[in-house]
PDB file of all heavy atoms in Angstrom:
ATOM      1  N   ILE A  10     -11.786 -22.262  -1.748  1.00  0.00           N
ATOM      2  CA  ILE A  10     -11.131 -21.086  -1.185  1.00  0.00           C
ATOM      3  C   ILE A  10     -12.233 -20.090  -0.838  1.00  0.00           C
ATOM      4  O   ILE A  10     -13.111 -19.811  -1.648  1.00  0.00           O
ATOM      5  CB  ILE A  10     -10.126 -20.460  -2.172  1.00  0.00           C
ATOM      6  CG1 ILE A  10      -8.972 -21.442  -2.438  1.00  0.00           C
ATOM      7  CG2 ILE A  10      -9.582 -19.149  -1.622  1.00  0.00           C
ATOM      8  CD1 ILE A  10      -7.958 -20.965  -3.465  1.00  0.00           C
ATOM      9  N   ARG A  11     -12.168 -19.577   0.392  1.00  0.00           N
ATOM     10  CA  ARG A  11     -13.170 -18.599   0.832  1.00  0.00           C
ATOM     11  C   ARG A  11     -12.482 -17.319   1.292  1.00  0.00           C
ATOM     12  O   ARG A  11     -11.432 -17.365   1.924  1.00  0.00           O
ATOM     13  CB  ARG A  11     -14.027 -19.161   1.977  1.00  0.00           C
ATOM     14  CG  ARG A  11     -14.973 -20.266   1.545  1.00  0.00           C
ATOM     15  CD  ARG A  11     -15.944 -20.672   2.645  1.00  0.00           C
ATOM     16  NE  ARG A  11     -15.249 -21.347   3.738  1.00  0.00           N
ATOM     17  CZ  ARG A  11     -14.930 -22.650   3.740  1.00  0.00           C
ATOM     18  NH1 ARG A  11     -15.224 -23.411   2.696  1.00  0.00           N
ATOM     19  NH2 ARG A  11     -14.306 -23.189   4.767  1.00  0.00           N
ATOM     20  N   ILE A  12     -13.101 -16.189   0.952  1.00  0.00           N
ATOM     21  CA  ILE A  12     -12.675 -14.893   1.482  1.00  0.00           C
ATOM     22  C   ILE A  12     -13.825 -14.403   2.346  1.00  0.00           C
ATOM     23  O   ILE A  12     -14.926 -14.161   1.837  1.00  0.00           O
ATOM     24  CB  ILE A  12     -12.358 -13.901   0.357  1.00  0.00           C
ATOM     25  CG1 ILE A  12     -11.183 -14.406  -0.489  1.00  0.00           C
ATOM     26  CG2 ILE A  12     -12.037 -12.519   0.933  1.00  0.00           C
ATOM     27  CD1 ILE A  12     -10.862 -13.557  -1.703  1.00  0.00           C
ATOM     28  N   GLY A  13     -13.575 -14.305   3.645  1.00  0.00           N
ATOM     29  CA  GLY A  13     -14.687 -14.061   4.575  1.00  0.00           C
ATOM     30  C   GLY A  13     -15.623 -15.261   4.510  1.00  0.00           C
ATOM     31  O   GLY A  13     -15.188 -16.413   4.532  1.00  0.00           O
ATOM     32  N   ASP A  14     -16.924 -15.004   4.376  1.00  0.00           N
ATOM     33  CA  ASP A  14     -17.900 -16.092   4.276  1.00  0.00           C
ATOM     34  C   ASP A  14     -18.185 -16.490   2.835  1.00  0.00           C
ATOM     35  O   ASP A  14     -19.017 -17.351   2.569  1.00  0.00           O
ATOM     36  CB  ASP A  14     -19.231 -15.658   4.941  1.00  0.00           C
ATOM     37  CG  ASP A  14     -19.055 -15.411   6.427  1.00  0.00           C
ATOM     38  OD1 ASP A  14     -18.186 -16.079   7.030  1.00  0.00           O
ATOM     39  OD2 ASP A  14     -19.762 -14.541   6.983  1.00  0.00           O
ATOM     40  N   ARG A  15     -17.521 -15.844   1.894  1.00  0.00           N
ATOM     41  CA  ARG A  15     -17.846 -16.017   0.474  1.00  0.00           C
ATOM     42  C   ARG A  15     -16.933 -17.038  -0.185  1.00  0.00           C
ATOM     43  O   ARG A  15     -15.714 -16.928  -0.122  1.00  0.00           O
ATOM     44  CB  ARG A  15     -17.706 -14.646  -0.200  1.00  0.00           C
ATOM     45  CG  ARG A  15     -18.088 -14.597  -1.658  1.00  0.00           C
ATOM     46  CD  ARG A  15     -17.943 -13.153  -2.149  1.00  0.00           C
ATOM     47  NE  ARG A  15     -18.131 -13.071  -3.594  1.00  0.00           N
ATOM     48  CZ  ARG A  15     -17.360 -12.352  -4.395  1.00  0.00           C
ATOM     49  NH1 ARG A  15     -16.338 -11.665  -3.904  1.00  0.00           N
ATOM     50  NH2 ARG A  15     -17.604 -12.308  -5.681  1.00  0.00           N
ATOM     51  N   ASP A  16     -17.544 -18.042  -0.808  1.00  0.00           N
ATOM     52  CA  ASP A  16     -16.769 -19.038  -1.546  1.00  0.00           C
ATOM     53  C   ASP A  16     -16.376 -18.428  -2.901  1.00  0.00           C
ATOM     54  O   ASP A  16     -17.238 -18.117  -3.722  1.00  0.00           O
ATOM     55  CB  ASP A  16     -17.614 -20.299  -1.764  1.00  0.00           C
ATOM     56  CG  ASP A  16     -16.789 -21.469  -2.330  1.00  0.00           C
ATOM     57  OD1 ASP A  16     -15.844 -21.205  -3.099  1.00  0.00           O
ATOM     58  OD2 ASP A  16     -17.100 -22.621  -2.000  1.00  0.00           O
ATOM     59  N   VAL A  17     -15.066 -18.233  -3.098  1.00  0.00           N
ATOM     60  CA  VAL A  17     -14.594 -17.595  -4.336  1.00  0.00           C
ATOM     61  C   VAL A  17     -13.907 -18.599  -5.265  1.00  0.00           C
ATOM     62  O   VAL A  17     -13.254 -18.194  -6.224  1.00  0.00           O
ATOM     63  CB  VAL A  17     -13.627 -16.420  -4.028  1.00  0.00           C
ATOM     64  CG1 VAL A  17     -14.320 -15.331  -3.242  1.00  0.00           C
ATOM     65  CG2 VAL A  17     -12.366 -16.901  -3.294  1.00  0.00           C
ATOM     66  N   THR A  18     -14.064 -19.884  -4.977  1.00  0.00           N
ATOM     67  CA  THR A  18     -13.346 -20.925  -5.722  1.00  0.00           C
ATOM     68  C   THR A  18     -13.473 -20.750  -7.228  1.00  0.00           C
ATOM     69  O   THR A  18     -12.501 -20.930  -7.970  1.00  0.00           O
ATOM     70  CB  THR A  18     -13.869 -22.332  -5.319  1.00  0.00           C
ATOM     71  OG1 THR A  18     -13.851 -22.421  -3.889  1.00  0.00           O
ATOM     72  CG2 THR A  18     -13.014 -23.428  -5.905  1.00  0.00           C
ATOM     73  N   HIS A  19     -14.674 -20.390  -7.685  1.00  0.00           N
ATOM     74  CA  HIS A  19     -14.893 -20.265  -9.139  1.00  0.00           C
ATOM     75  C   HIS A  19     -15.322 -18.847  -9.530  1.00  0.00           C
ATOM     76  O   HIS A  19     -15.912 -18.651 -10.589  1.00  0.00           O
ATOM     77  CB  HIS A  19     -15.944 -21.295  -9.590  1.00  0.00           C
ATOM     78  CG  HIS A  19     -15.567 -22.705  -9.238  1.00  0.00           C
ATOM     79  ND1 HIS A  19     -14.469 -23.344  -9.778  1.00  0.00           N
ATOM     80  CD2 HIS A  19     -16.126 -23.575  -8.362  1.00  0.00           C
ATOM     81  CE1 HIS A  19     -14.367 -24.564  -9.261  1.00  0.00           C
ATOM     82  NE2 HIS A  19     -15.359 -24.728  -8.400  1.00  0.00           N
ATOM     83  N   VAL A  20     -14.994 -17.876  -8.663  1.00  0.00           N
ATOM     84  CA  VAL A  20     -15.350 -16.479  -8.947  1.00  0.00           C
ATOM     85  C   VAL A  20     -14.283 -15.850  -9.834  1.00  0.00           C
ATOM     86  O   VAL A  20     -13.087 -16.112  -9.690  1.00  0.00           O
ATOM     87  CB  VAL A  20     -15.494 -15.696  -7.609  1.00  0.00           C
ATOM     88  CG1 VAL A  20     -15.619 -14.189  -7.844  1.00  0.00           C
ATOM     89  CG2 VAL A  20     -16.705 -16.212  -6.831  1.00  0.00           C
ATOM     90  N   ASP A  21     -14.704 -15.013 -10.758  1.00  0.00           N
ATOM     91  CA  ASP A  21     -13.788 -14.306 -11.656  1.00  0.00           C
ATOM     92  C   ASP A  21     -12.779 -13.483 -10.851  1.00  0.00           C
ATOM     93  O   ASP A  21     -13.154 -12.867  -9.850  1.00  0.00           O
ATOM     94  CB  ASP A  21     -14.611 -13.396 -12.571  1.00  0.00           C
ATOM     95  CG  ASP A  21     -13.769 -12.827 -13.694  1.00  0.00           C
ATOM     96  OD1 ASP A  21     -13.554 -13.521 -14.693  1.00  0.00           O
ATOM     97  OD2 ASP A  21     -13.319 -11.678 -13.541  1.00  0.00           O
ATOM     98  N   PRO A  22     -11.507 -13.436 -11.275  1.00  0.00           N
ATOM     99  CA  PRO A  22     -10.489 -12.666 -10.522  1.00  0.00           C
ATOM    100  C   PRO A  22     -10.902 -11.220 -10.259  1.00  0.00           C
ATOM    101  O   PRO A  22     -10.650 -10.687  -9.168  1.00  0.00           O
ATOM    102  CB  PRO A  22      -9.259 -12.723 -11.438  1.00  0.00           C
ATOM    103  CG  PRO A  22      -9.426 -13.940 -12.269  1.00  0.00           C
ATOM    104  CD  PRO A  22     -10.905 -14.139 -12.437  1.00  0.00           C
ATOM    105  N   ALA A  23     -11.537 -10.583 -11.225  1.00  0.00           N
ATOM    106  CA  ALA A  23     -11.926  -9.175 -11.088  1.00  0.00           C
ATOM    107  C   ALA A  23     -12.961  -8.957  -9.997  1.00  0.00           C
ATOM    108  O   ALA A  23     -13.128  -7.849  -9.485  1.00  0.00           O
ATOM    109  CB  ALA A  23     -12.452  -8.646 -12.415  1.00  0.00           C
ATOM    110  N   ASP A  24     -13.661 -10.038  -9.610  1.00  0.00           N
ATOM    111  CA  ASP A  24     -14.746  -9.912  -8.616  1.00  0.00           C
ATOM    112  C   ASP A  24     -14.337 -10.409  -7.234  1.00  0.00           C
ATOM    113  O   ASP A  24     -15.187 -10.615  -6.366  1.00  0.00           O
ATOM    114  CB  ASP A  24     -15.990 -10.693  -9.095  1.00  0.00           C
ATOM    115  CG  ASP A  24     -16.533 -10.136 -10.409  1.00  0.00           C
ATOM    116  OD1 ASP A  24     -16.446  -8.903 -10.586  1.00  0.00           O
ATOM    117  OD2 ASP A  24     -17.019 -10.933 -11.248  1.00  0.00           O
ATOM    118  N   ARG A  25     -13.040 -10.615  -7.021  1.00  0.00           N
ATOM    119  CA  ARG A  25     -12.586 -11.143  -5.719  1.00  0.00           C
ATOM    120  C   ARG A  25     -12.139 -10.048  -4.747  1.00  0.00           C
ATOM    121  O   ARG A  25     -11.829 -10.347  -3.589  1.00  0.00           O
ATOM    122  CB  ARG A  25     -11.448 -12.148  -5.924  1.00  0.00           C
ATOM    123  CG  ARG A  25     -11.888 -13.389  -6.673  1.00  0.00           C
ATOM    124  CD  ARG A  25     -10.872 -14.492  -6.614  1.00  0.00           C
ATOM    125  NE  ARG A  25     -11.273 -15.614  -7.457  1.00  0.00           N
ATOM    126  CZ  ARG A  25     -10.800 -16.845  -7.351  1.00  0.00           C
ATOM    127  NH1 ARG A  25      -9.886 -17.118  -6.448  1.00  0.00           N
ATOM    128  NH2 ARG A  25     -11.225 -17.801  -8.145  1.00  0.00           N
ATOM    129  N   ASP A  26     -12.022  -8.816  -5.224  1.00  0.00           N
ATOM    130  CA  ASP A  26     -11.569  -7.689  -4.381  1.00  0.00           C
ATOM    131  C   ASP A  26     -10.184  -7.950  -3.792  1.00  0.00           C
ATOM    132  O   ASP A  26      -9.941  -7.816  -2.599  1.00  0.00           O
ATOM    133  CB  ASP A  26     -12.591  -7.411  -3.274  1.00  0.00           C
ATOM    134  CG  ASP A  26     -12.441  -5.993  -2.705  1.00  0.00           C
ATOM    135  OD1 ASP A  26     -11.689  -5.196  -3.299  1.00  0.00           O
ATOM    136  OD2 ASP A  26     -13.058  -5.698  -1.682  1.00  0.00           O
ATOM    137  N   ILE A  27      -9.285  -8.347  -4.695  1.00  0.00           N
ATOM    138  CA  ILE A  27      -7.892  -8.628  -4.328  1.00  0.00           C
ATOM    139  C   ILE A  27      -6.990  -7.731  -5.153  1.00  0.00           C
ATOM    140  O   ILE A  27      -7.234  -7.501  -6.335  1.00  0.00           O
ATOM    141  CB  ILE A  27      -7.545 -10.108  -4.628  1.00  0.00           C
ATOM    142  CG1 ILE A  27      -8.170 -11.006  -3.555  1.00  0.00           C
ATOM    143  CG2 ILE A  27      -6.041 -10.345  -4.712  1.00  0.00           C
ATOM    144  CD1 ILE A  27      -8.022 -12.482  -3.851  1.00  0.00           C
ATOM    145  N   ALA A  28      -5.940  -7.196  -4.527  1.00  0.00           N
ATOM    146  CA  ALA A  28      -4.926  -6.431  -5.257  1.00  0.00           C
ATOM    147  C   ALA A  28      -3.609  -7.195  -5.223  1.00  0.00           C
ATOM    148  O   ALA A  28      -3.161  -7.615  -4.160  1.00  0.00           O
ATOM    149  CB  ALA A  28      -4.751  -5.044  -4.650  1.00  0.00           C
ATOM    150  N   MET A  29      -3.018  -7.391  -6.399  1.00  0.00           N
ATOM    151  CA  MET A  29      -1.763  -8.133  -6.521  1.00  0.00           C
ATOM    152  C   MET A  29      -0.579  -7.174  -6.622  1.00  0.00           C
ATOM    153  O   MET A  29      -0.666  -6.145  -7.278  1.00  0.00           O
ATOM    154  CB  MET A  29      -1.767  -8.997  -7.792  1.00  0.00           C
ATOM    155  CG  MET A  29      -2.673 -10.211  -7.766  1.00  0.00           C
ATOM    156  SD  MET A  29      -2.035 -11.621  -6.829  1.00  0.00           S
ATOM    157  CE  MET A  29      -0.604 -12.151  -7.749  1.00  0.00           C
ATOM    158  N   VAL A  30       0.516  -7.543  -5.969  1.00  0.00           N
ATOM    159  CA  VAL A  30       1.798  -6.858  -6.170  1.00  0.00           C
ATOM    160  C   VAL A  30       2.792  -7.930  -6.607  1.00  0.00           C
ATOM    161  O   VAL A  30       3.044  -8.886  -5.876  1.00  0.00           O
ATOM    162  CB  VAL A  30       2.290  -6.147  -4.886  1.00  0.00           C
ATOM    163  CG1 VAL A  30       3.602  -5.414  -5.148  1.00  0.00           C
ATOM    164  CG2 VAL A  30       1.250  -5.192  -4.348  1.00  0.00           C
ATOM    165  N   PHE A  31       3.338  -7.763  -7.813  1.00  0.00           N
ATOM    166  CA  PHE A  31       4.190  -8.801  -8.397  1.00  0.00           C
ATOM    167  C   PHE A  31       5.667  -8.460  -8.232  1.00  0.00           C
ATOM    168  O   PHE A  31       6.051  -7.346  -7.881  1.00  0.00           O
ATOM    169  CB  PHE A  31       3.891  -8.959  -9.894  1.00  0.00           C
ATOM    170  CG  PHE A  31       2.527  -9.504 -10.193  1.00  0.00           C
ATOM    171  CD1 PHE A  31       1.490  -8.653 -10.584  1.00  0.00           C
ATOM    172  CD2 PHE A  31       2.255 -10.858 -10.100  1.00  0.00           C
ATOM    173  CE1 PHE A  31       0.227  -9.150 -10.871  1.00  0.00           C
ATOM    174  CE2 PHE A  31       1.001 -11.372 -10.383  1.00  0.00           C
ATOM    175  CZ  PHE A  31      -0.016 -10.519 -10.774  1.00  0.00           C
ATOM    176  N   GLN A  32       6.499  -9.457  -8.576  1.00  0.00           N
ATOM    177  CA  GLN A  32       7.953  -9.288  -8.599  1.00  0.00           C
ATOM    178  C   GLN A  32       8.330  -8.225  -9.636  1.00  0.00           C
ATOM    179  O   GLN A  32       9.190  -7.377  -9.407  1.00  0.00           O
ATOM    180  CB  GLN A  32       8.563 -10.640  -8.954  1.00  0.00           C
ATOM    181  CG  GLN A  32      10.066 -10.648  -9.046  1.00  0.00           C
ATOM    182  CD  GLN A  32      10.565 -12.054  -9.335  1.00  0.00           C
ATOM    183  OE1 GLN A  32       9.834 -13.029  -9.203  1.00  0.00           O
ATOM    184  NE2 GLN A  32      11.818 -12.157  -9.725  1.00  0.00           N
ATOM    185  N   THR A  33       7.691  -8.278 -10.812  1.00  0.00           N
ATOM    186  CA  THR A  33       7.902  -7.234 -11.815  1.00  0.00           C
ATOM    187  C   THR A  33       6.840  -6.168 -11.580  1.00  0.00           C
ATOM    188  O   THR A  33       5.671  -6.502 -11.387  1.00  0.00           O
ATOM    189  CB  THR A  33       7.751  -7.804 -13.236  1.00  0.00           C
ATOM    190  OG1 THR A  33       6.511  -8.510 -13.305  1.00  0.00           O
ATOM    191  CG2 THR A  33       8.882  -8.756 -13.562  1.00  0.00           C
ATOM    192  N   TYR A  34       7.224  -4.921 -11.599  1.00  0.00           N
ATOM    193  CA  TYR A  34       6.311  -3.854 -11.170  1.00  0.00           C
ATOM    194  C   TYR A  34       5.258  -3.563 -12.227  1.00  0.00           C
ATOM    195  O   TYR A  34       4.186  -3.046 -11.902  1.00  0.00           O
ATOM    196  CB  TYR A  34       7.107  -2.585 -10.817  1.00  0.00           C
ATOM    197  CG  TYR A  34       8.324  -2.888  -9.985  1.00  0.00           C
ATOM    198  CD1 TYR A  34       9.575  -2.357 -10.306  1.00  0.00           C
ATOM    199  CD2 TYR A  34       8.247  -3.754  -8.900  1.00  0.00           C
ATOM    200  CE1 TYR A  34      10.697  -2.668  -9.555  1.00  0.00           C
ATOM    201  CE2 TYR A  34       9.348  -4.068  -8.152  1.00  0.00           C
ATOM    202  CZ  TYR A  34      10.575  -3.521  -8.486  1.00  0.00           C
ATOM    203  OH  TYR A  34      11.683  -3.841  -7.738  1.00  0.00           O
ATOM    204  N   ALA A  35       5.553  -3.900 -13.511  1.00  0.00           N
ATOM    205  CA  ALA A  35       4.584  -3.747 -14.600  1.00  0.00           C
ATOM    206  C   ALA A  35       3.943  -2.363 -14.619  1.00  0.00           C
ATOM    207  O   ALA A  35       2.737  -2.228 -14.728  1.00  0.00           O
ATOM    208  CB  ALA A  35       3.518  -4.842 -14.507  1.00  0.00           C
ATOM    209  N   LEU A  36       4.777  -1.330 -14.496  1.00  0.00           N
ATOM    210  CA  LEU A  36       4.264   0.042 -14.570  1.00  0.00           C
ATOM    211  C   LEU A  36       4.176   0.465 -16.040  1.00  0.00           C
ATOM    212  O   LEU A  36       4.972   0.031 -16.875  1.00  0.00           O
ATOM    213  CB  LEU A  36       5.195   0.994 -13.812  1.00  0.00           C
ATOM    214  CG  LEU A  36       5.407   0.672 -12.316  1.00  0.00           C
ATOM    215  CD1 LEU A  36       6.407   1.657 -11.711  1.00  0.00           C
ATOM    216  CD2 LEU A  36       4.114   0.686 -11.541  1.00  0.00           C
ATOM    217  N   TYR A  37       3.206   1.313 -16.339  1.00  0.00           N
ATOM    218  CA  TYR A  37       3.083   1.832 -17.698  1.00  0.00           C
ATOM    219  C   TYR A  37       4.118   2.940 -17.912  1.00  0.00           C
ATOM    220  O   TYR A  37       4.066   3.975 -17.220  1.00  0.00           O
ATOM    221  CB  TYR A  37       1.669   2.381 -17.933  1.00  0.00           C
ATOM    222  CG  TYR A  37       0.608   1.312 -17.826  1.00  0.00           C
ATOM    223  CD1 TYR A  37      -0.241   1.260 -16.727  1.00  0.00           C
ATOM    224  CD2 TYR A  37       0.471   0.355 -18.825  1.00  0.00           C
ATOM    225  CE1 TYR A  37      -1.221   0.279 -16.622  1.00  0.00           C
ATOM    226  CE2 TYR A  37      -0.509  -0.637 -18.722  1.00  0.00           C
ATOM    227  CZ  TYR A  37      -1.350  -0.673 -17.625  1.00  0.00           C
ATOM    228  OH  TYR A  37      -2.303  -1.653 -17.524  1.00  0.00           O
ATOM    229  N   PRO A  38       5.080   2.757 -18.832  1.00  0.00           N
ATOM    230  CA  PRO A  38       6.197   3.708 -18.954  1.00  0.00           C
ATOM    231  C   PRO A  38       5.767   5.098 -19.416  1.00  0.00           C
ATOM    232  O   PRO A  38       6.423   6.098 -19.078  1.00  0.00           O
ATOM    233  CB  PRO A  38       7.125   3.057 -19.981  1.00  0.00           C
ATOM    234  CG  PRO A  38       6.287   2.070 -20.715  1.00  0.00           C
ATOM    235  CD  PRO A  38       5.217   1.628 -19.760  1.00  0.00           C
ATOM    236  N   HIS A  39       4.661   5.185 -20.158  1.00  0.00           N
ATOM    237  CA  HIS A  39       4.241   6.488 -20.706  1.00  0.00           C
ATOM    238  C   HIS A  39       3.376   7.281 -19.726  1.00  0.00           C
ATOM    239  O   HIS A  39       3.041   8.422 -19.992  1.00  0.00           O
ATOM    240  CB  HIS A  39       3.466   6.270 -22.027  1.00  0.00           C
ATOM    241  CG  HIS A  39       2.216   5.473 -21.844  1.00  0.00           C
ATOM    242  ND1 HIS A  39       2.246   4.111 -21.641  1.00  0.00           N
ATOM    243  CD2 HIS A  39       0.903   5.841 -21.812  1.00  0.00           C
ATOM    244  CE1 HIS A  39       1.005   3.665 -21.508  1.00  0.00           C
ATOM    245  NE2 HIS A  39       0.172   4.695 -21.607  1.00  0.00           N
ATOM    246  N   MET A  40       3.026   6.665 -18.594  1.00  0.00           N
ATOM    247  CA  MET A  40       2.168   7.359 -17.606  1.00  0.00           C
ATOM    248  C   MET A  40       2.997   7.856 -16.438  1.00  0.00           C
ATOM    249  O   MET A  40       4.010   7.264 -16.074  1.00  0.00           O
ATOM    250  CB  MET A  40       1.116   6.373 -17.052  1.00  0.00           C
ATOM    251  CG  MET A  40       0.044   5.956 -18.016  1.00  0.00           C
ATOM    252  SD  MET A  40      -1.149   4.940 -17.098  1.00  0.00           S
ATOM    253  CE  MET A  40      -2.169   4.352 -18.444  1.00  0.00           C
ATOM    254  N   THR A  41       2.512   8.920 -15.818  1.00  0.00           N
ATOM    255  CA  THR A  41       3.154   9.421 -14.590  1.00  0.00           C
ATOM    256  C   THR A  41       2.893   8.443 -13.448  1.00  0.00           C
ATOM    257  O   THR A  41       2.051   7.546 -13.561  1.00  0.00           O
ATOM    258  CB  THR A  41       2.582  10.793 -14.195  1.00  0.00           C
ATOM    259  OG1 THR A  41       1.197  10.621 -13.893  1.00  0.00           O
ATOM    260  CG2 THR A  41       2.791  11.822 -15.282  1.00  0.00           C
ATOM    261  N   VAL A  42       3.599   8.670 -12.352  1.00  0.00           N
ATOM    262  CA  VAL A  42       3.375   7.867 -11.135  1.00  0.00           C
ATOM    263  C   VAL A  42       1.913   7.957 -10.701  1.00  0.00           C
ATOM    264  O   VAL A  42       1.264   6.943 -10.402  1.00  0.00           O
ATOM    265  CB  VAL A  42       4.313   8.350 -10.009  1.00  0.00           C
ATOM    266  CG1 VAL A  42       3.882   7.803  -8.650  1.00  0.00           C
ATOM    267  CG2 VAL A  42       5.755   7.940 -10.314  1.00  0.00           C
ATOM    268  N   ALA A  43       1.372   9.164 -10.688  1.00  0.00           N
ATOM    269  CA  ALA A  43      -0.027   9.351 -10.265  1.00  0.00           C
ATOM    270  C   ALA A  43      -0.985   8.589 -11.171  1.00  0.00           C
ATOM    271  O   ALA A  43      -1.913   7.915 -10.698  1.00  0.00           O
ATOM    272  CB  ALA A  43      -0.379  10.837 -10.256  1.00  0.00           C
ATOM    273  N   ALA A  44      -0.744   8.645 -12.486  1.00  0.00           N
ATOM    274  CA  ALA A  44      -1.618   7.946 -13.438  1.00  0.00           C
ATOM    275  C   ALA A  44      -1.500   6.442 -13.286  1.00  0.00           C
ATOM    276  O   ALA A  44      -2.499   5.713 -13.367  1.00  0.00           O
ATOM    277  CB  ALA A  44      -1.288   8.374 -14.858  1.00  0.00           C
ATOM    278  N   ASN A  45      -0.280   5.948 -13.049  1.00  0.00           N
ATOM    279  CA  ASN A  45      -0.077   4.524 -12.810  1.00  0.00           C
ATOM    280  C   ASN A  45      -0.848   4.067 -11.571  1.00  0.00           C
ATOM    281  O   ASN A  45      -1.513   3.029 -11.589  1.00  0.00           O
ATOM    282  CB  ASN A  45       1.412   4.208 -12.620  1.00  0.00           C
ATOM    283  CG  ASN A  45       2.086   3.750 -13.905  1.00  0.00           C
ATOM    284  OD1 ASN A  45       1.880   2.637 -14.374  1.00  0.00           O
ATOM    285  ND2 ASN A  45       2.896   4.653 -14.488  1.00  0.00           N
ATOM    286  N   MET A  46      -0.732   4.848 -10.497  1.00  0.00           N
ATOM    287  CA  MET A  46      -1.379   4.459  -9.240  1.00  0.00           C
ATOM    288  C   MET A  46      -2.914   4.488  -9.356  1.00  0.00           C
ATOM    289  O   MET A  46      -3.599   3.659  -8.760  1.00  0.00           O
ATOM    290  CB  MET A  46      -0.908   5.365  -8.100  1.00  0.00           C
ATOM    291  CG  MET A  46       0.510   5.038  -7.644  1.00  0.00           C
ATOM    292  SD  MET A  46       1.242   6.273  -6.539  1.00  0.00           S
ATOM    293  CE  MET A  46       0.186   6.164  -5.104  1.00  0.00           C
ATOM    294  N   GLY A  47      -3.431   5.396 -10.127  1.00  0.00           N
ATOM    295  CA  GLY A  47      -4.882   5.541 -10.218  1.00  0.00           C
ATOM    296  C   GLY A  47      -5.530   4.828 -11.390  1.00  0.00           C
ATOM    297  O   GLY A  47      -6.762   4.893 -11.563  1.00  0.00           O
TER     298      GLY A  47
END
């Protein structure tokens, strides 16, 4: 799997520069909207 010219097949998820949006929103209930987003 490549993103641009970079082979990310075995790259750590945190280093792929990808943002996930899931079916469950997984928001932190004790944080405000602004704190959740940031």
